[in-house]
Amino acid sequence: MKYYIGIDVGGTLSKIAVVNERGRIVAKRIVKTPISNKNALINKIVQASKEILSEKNLKRKHIKAVGVGMPGAINSEKGIVYYLPNIPRWKNVPLKKILESKLKIKTCIDNDVSLMTLGEFCYGAGKGAKNIVCITLGTGVGGGIILDGKLYRGATLVGGEIGHVPISVGGPKCNCGGWGCVESYIGNRYLMNRLRRELKKNRSIIKTLIKKKRMKLSLELVDRAAEMGDKYAVWFWKDFGIKLGTMLTGVVNLLNPERIIIGGGVAGAGKFIFGPVKQVIRKRAMPIQAKSVRIVKAKLGEDAGVIGAAVFARLNGK
Ligand SMILES: [Zn+2]
């Protein structure tokens, strides 16, 4: 059996896993991501990788390659991190070279959502398809594209930014420098601001839960309220689904994918989101494209990133 190390660096937590050639996780470790300084983060993942190997009695020679997903703009060919929007002080870092010198194992790096997409494509909700689009919902709205069975990266390797497809001519300012991007309507930060604003004006069980049960306002709470039949909460997610569906209509028309895979924290409210998303696509997308696409939930959950990173290592680490 051949083994790979898959690493998924997130803005808060990072995951390090040993994955076998069949995409199965043999050992996994979750650590807090040090964001205050670059070397601390690098040392942490190197140390965790070494620990996980000795824990499983694996030697360096058992590991064919290491794959790393980073949350930002990456040049996967040169192995350089251009920048990470949520982790400061990362500018043009030759991470591949640094990790190879420390780990002494062939290493390749890429964008985290691209690798998640690769994981879902090989072992998850994208299995068996050739053209898929993956979207992750969270603080940021990320995307990955597989066309004709291959990860699509674009001219300078930073394509797939689905969260920054505008859905309005004007609209709110977005973190990316643009405005009216779908992320500025359905990203977690925007949703929380909207909730605070709208709850002042609307009747909702959410307010009762916060006051009487001392619960904290969160998107999970809105999900719970929707489960309880709260009208405002159901409408909140419906509106979310309509916005997401509007953007995905463009994706469906442009790329004609077989499947669109939706994952990330907010996908927990899938029950209330998927209906409106499908409805909008059915209504607005061009008929042949609309008919051939399936909207599905991600399957690998939290593990998609490390599994995808290991697949990437297997494909590129020779
Ligand atoms: Zn944007």
Side-chain angles (χ1 to χ4, degrees):
M1 188 67 83
K2 288 175 186 156
Y3 296 97
Y4 301 86
I5 291 179
I7 299 173
D8 179 19
V9 175
T12 321
L13 297 174
S14 296
K15 299 169 198 110
I16 298 101
V18 176
V19 182
N20 72 19
E21 61 188 317
R22 295 197 191 119
R24 189 142 297 152
I25 293 177
V26 183
K28 187 170 87 172
R29 189 165 279 219
I30 301 175
V31 298
K32 243 187 129 213
T33 308
I35 56 166
S36 57
N37 108 44
K38 204 167 55 202
N39 289 330
L41 200 166
I42 293 169
N43 291 336
K44 188 100 181 210
I45 56 180
V46 167
Q47 185 203 349
S49 303
K50 287 178 177 167
E51 279 169 13
I52 212 170
L53 287 184
S54 71
E55 203 180 280
K56 283 278 144 190
N57 281 323
L58 288 165
K59 298 254 151 40
R60 204 182 289 139
K61 63 175 186 204
H62 297 119
I63 305 295
K64 292 282 162 211
V66 179
V68 187
M70 297 294 287
I74 312 298
N75 183 324
S76 57
E77 280 167 10
K78 292 185 177 153
I80 291 170
V81 175
Y82 285 133
Y83 67 93
L84 306 175
N86 294 310
I87 306 179
R89 286 181 280 279
W90 280 74
K91 276 256 147 72
N92 302 321
V93 179
L95 184 63
K96 170 189 162 78
K97 228 186 196 168
I98 297 171
L99 287 176
E100 281 180 343
S101 77
K102 288 183 186 269
L103 286 167
K104 312 266 182 309
I105 306 173
K106 169 104 186 174
T107 301
C108 41
I109 68 169
D110 205 340
N111 169 270
D112 59 345
V113 186
S114 291
L115 298 188
M116 257 180 241
T117 305
L118 202 54
E120 289 287 346
F121 172 66
C122 286
Y123 298 108
K127 221 170 138 182
K130 272 178 93 179
N131 297 285
I132 66 167
V133 172
C134 218
I135 173 157
T136 60
L137 305 169
T139 308
V141 174
I145 301 169
I146 289 190
L147 296 180
D148 287 329
K150 269 194 173 162
L151 204 53
Y152 175 80
R153 291 194 181 80
T156 49
L157 312 172
V158 290
E161 291 289 356
I162 251 176
H164 302 285
V165 173
I167 53 169
S168 124
V169 172
K173 194 114 187 64
C174 181
N175 274 338
C176 72
W179 61 89
C181 299
V182 74
E183 181 174 302
S184 65
Y185 288 103
I186 64 166
N188 285 358
R189 206 168 299 139
Y190 170 81
L191 292 177
M192 290 300 290
N193 285 337
R194 194 185 130 192
L195 272 176
R196 280 183 212 109
R197 207 171 52 232
E198 287 180 353
L199 280 174
K200 285 184 192 150
K201 292 182 273 175
N202 289 280
R203 275 204 342 191
S204 168
I205 200 169
I206 299 169
K207 288 196 270 196
T208 323
L209 290 170
I210 291 171
K211 226 183 237 163
K212 295 211 171 128
K213 305 231 163 149
R214 303 194 167 205
M215 289 173 144
K216 252 182 97 184
L217 182 63
S218 68
L219 294 170
E220 289 76 33
L221 189 59
V222 185
D223 189 25
R224 219 160 128 182
E227 290 279 357
M228 293 162 85
D230 183 68
K231 268 196 188 146
Y232 169 76
V234 171
W235 174 78
F236 179 89
W237 289 125
K238 187 181 174 189
D239 181 72
F240 181 107
I242 290 172
K243 281 168 178 148
L244 178 58
T246 303
M247 185 276 286
L248 288 177
T249 297
V251 171
V252 167
N253 287 346
L254 180 68
L255 297 176
N256 185 204
E258 297 158 73
R259 276 175 228 169
I260 291 178
I261 301 170
I262 302 178
V266 181
K271 212 167 123 190
F272 305 101
I273 296 171
F274 276 63
V277 166
K278 288 180 191 171
Q279 225 171 12
V280 171
I281 292 174
R282 215 180 303 130
K283 256 200 219 152
R284 290 186 70 171
M286 297 166 86
I288 300 174
Q289 285 92 323
K291 231 183 197 165
S292 50
V293 70
R294 278 175 53 214
I295 313 296
V296 296
K297 209 167 160 178
K299 249 192 195 156
L300 302 178
E302 296 262 291
D303 292 333
V306 283
I307 293 175
V311 172
F312 185 55
R314 188 178 75 205
L315 297 175
N316 295 278
K318 280 167 206 142

